[in-house]
Amino acid sequence: MMRRILPAMVVAVAISAVSPFHGSAEENAEGGGGKALFQAKCSPCHTIGGGRLVGPDLKGVTTLRDRAWLERFISAPDKVLASGDPVAARLFQEFNKVPMPNLGLDQDQVDALLDYLAAGEETPPQGAKPAAAPAPKGDPSMGEKLFAGEFTFARGGTPCIACHHVAGIAPLGGGTLGPDLTTIATTFGDAALSSALATLPFPTMKPIFGDHPLTPKEQGDLRAFFRKATPRRPAVETTPIVLCAGAGLLALLLLTGALGRRRLGSVRKALVAEATKGGGEGRWVG
Amino acid sequence: MTDYLFFAVFPYVALAVAVGGGVYRYSRERFSFSSLSSQFLDNRVLFWGSVAWHYGIVLILLAHLVALLFPGFWGRLLGDPLRLAAIEATGLALGLFTLAGLVVLLLRRIASPKAWAVATVMDLLLLAALLLQVATGLYNALVYRWGSLWYLSLAVPWLHSLACLNPDIKYIVPLPLMIKVHLVNAFLLLLLFPVTRLVHIVSIPISYLWRPWQVAVWNKRPIGS
């Protein structure tokens, strides 16, 4: 059978190989210069001369650090940090252990960004815009409901609980695909938190929230909720879900056993008893 | 590039092989569309393996399918932490039940001389692929919670983009390796469909559910009675 199916598989592979699909739309749209790249990829977390946000102010970074190091770090910050690089490790500690995500930039994009940074043009932080006009105060209880998905985001974004935990969320806590956000208000600080909520620039979140950003009111409510939650002790508990699932498994096994004992019921049971009477060799099978 | 091959090309290859291979096999060897049951060779162990496996996997697959086809309904269903917790706990329990059944089936296939005698390389390959799928599913459900909810925002848009012949892998690229393995292996199972006993999925005797009782009568006196 395998031998006969194989030609069909080869044809299918060949058809797929010449398929007209190429890269995502986002990849194709990113051919802009360094400034456009900075705005799209870096500005949610960095400024040039506008002070620190989630990450450092990048003013003068090209004179502070070796270009080769910057190239390596911007291309793959996760790998540089994992390699034990002392500068990357120090930055990681200094910026509240928030690692810079791997943005998947190619060499041309990294070069364009470094040229732009070297040119010394200053940019105001994105978070400064809402700060200039006073940000909505926000309702922490509404923020909690938005976080937990009890109220949906107006523009259709995914509730935070899908991937994030905040201590005190009942009954089994929040998700663990993303980081625990219990102390995010103190870890990030106001400016960075506002900027992060406005742009949600993180690699896993960007595709989800790119077309479904949070409204200013939702950002305010969530900010208020995070501020309220920040004194709590972050503690993601895996035990309760494991215990629940274990109990469920036990119940399913008991149910299977109980129903299985009766599976040779009624008519068949009598037939089986008769057929096997006297130690006959043929035992009826199920 | 690797991501593009795995998540934008391979799914179509797998689907083409599944449909093309399935139709080809049906036209050439219609009676091979069967689970090739070995129930007659050994039933006691099979009961625990087969019942746990089939009830578990059907319900788990159904949840994946409902979320994919009715994302709005699924999102509203999980729009409450208590319901989310109940569904996640139920899903995890069913996942463990499924895994237990699969492990029993695998051990029985290896340990029972009769079952081993009729086993083929493809049977073992299929069991290994299924084991990988269930194990990674459980791992992801436990380590990257809450999968029932982020599945809606990451996997469903990607699957929809595949269905619209406009694959968009941006949702998948940043995900952890184990989630990617689960996704690729799902399409590998589709690829294995026409060349293994997995074909029995489309030969389910659904009429079992409503047909009247059938009484089997032994018309030969058992030896020794």
Side-chain angles (χ1 to χ4, degrees), chain A residues 114-254:
Chain A
L114 285 175
D115 291 345
Y116 174 67
L117 289 171
E121 186 183 332
E122 296 199 358
T123 57
Q126 286 207 356
K129 287 173 201 165
K137 200 161 181 245
D139 172 0
S141 65
M142 179 60 93
E144 182 164 2
K145 287 188 168 66
L146 286 167
F147 183 95
E150 291 173 64
F151 287 151
T152 53
F153 289 121
R155 293 171 183 158
T158 308
C160 320
I161 195 174
C163 305
H164 297 287
H165 176 66
V166 162
I169 294 277
L172 294 179
T176 51
L177 180 63
D180 184 329
L181 300 182
T182 307
T183 59
I184 196 75
T186 41
T187 313
F188 269 38
D190 255 4
L193 182 60
S194 299
S195 169
L197 282 168
T199 50
L200 299 170
F202 310 100
T204 314
M205 299 178 78
K206 216 172 167 192
I208 301 175
F209 290 93
D211 298 329
H212 311 283
L214 304 176
T215 65
K217 180 168 183 330
E218 288 164 350
Q219 293 170 37
D221 291 339
L222 282 172
R223 207 168 34 232
F225 169 57
F226 290 138
R227 278 192 200 124
K228 187 182 166 192
T230 209
R232 299 175 196 165
R233 206 168 127 257
V236 176
E237 285 284 345
T238 305
T239 317
I241 178 76
V242 172
L243 287 177
C244 288
L249 173 66
L250 195 63
L252 285 167
L253 289 174
L254 288 173

Side-chain angles (χ1 to χ4, degrees), chain A residues 10 12 30 38 45 49 71 99 102 115-116 160-161 188 195 216 231 272 279:
Chain A
V10 172
E30 283 170 4
F38 184 87
C45 298
E71 276 185 24
N102 188 328
D115 291 345
Y116 174 67
C160 320
I161 195 174
F188 269 38
S195 169
V272 170

Side-chain angles (χ1 to χ4, degrees), chain A residues 23-100:
Chain A
S24 69
E26 194 189 22
E27 280 166 20
N28 293 333
E30 283 170 4
K35 186 172 184 177
L37 267 171
F38 184 87
Q39 287 298 336
K41 297 279 188 184
C42 318
S43 67
C45 298
H46 299 280
T47 69
I48 308 175
R52 58 188 277 171
L53 288 178
V54 181
D57 183 341
L58 297 180
K59 187 181 179 184
V61 71
T62 48
T63 51
L64 187 66
R65 310 233 181 274
D66 172 36
R67 177 149 180 142
W69 184 89
L70 283 172
E71 276 185 24
R72 277 194 301 125
F73 190 72
I74 296 174
S75 302
D78 48 344
K79 285 182 187 157
V80 175
L81 184 62
S83 73
D85 181 281
V87 178
R90 188 167 53 73
L91 285 169
F92 177 66
Q93 290 299 331
E94 190 180 336
F95 287 87
N96 302 307
K97 299 184 179 174
V98 179
M100 174 163 153

